[in-house]
Amino acid sequence: MTFTNKNKFFEYKVSLNTANNVFEAQLVTDASIFATGDSIEEAVYNLEKIV
């Protein structure tokens, strides 16, 4: 499962890592910048803290 969303600050992609059972949110423009979380909301929140 992967989807792309654009909020008011940046565009990000969220996917489910089934090997580790966590969600990963990463910037569309730079995939090396990413964050993980137990839920989609947590992964996006963690990414917002980085960016």
Side-chain angles (χ1 to χ4, degrees):
M1 171 185 91
T2 301
F3 70 90
T4 303
N5 193 0
K6 184 176 183 180
N7 70 10
K8 57 188 171 194
F9 301 115
F10 55 89
E11 192 171 0
Y12 60 91
K13 177 172 65 169
V14 177
S15 58
L16 175 61
N17 181 329
T18 56
N20 297 327
N21 203 29
V22 294
F23 288 96
E24 297 178 343
Q26 60 182 276
L27 291 181
V28 170
T29 56
D30 186 358
S32 68
I33 301 174
F34 69 95
T36 61
D38 292 330
S39 66
I40 293 172
E41 293 83 6
E42 182 181 5
V44 172
Y45 175 77
N46 291 338
L47 181 63
E48 288 175 346
K49 290 193 314 187
I50 295 171
V51 177

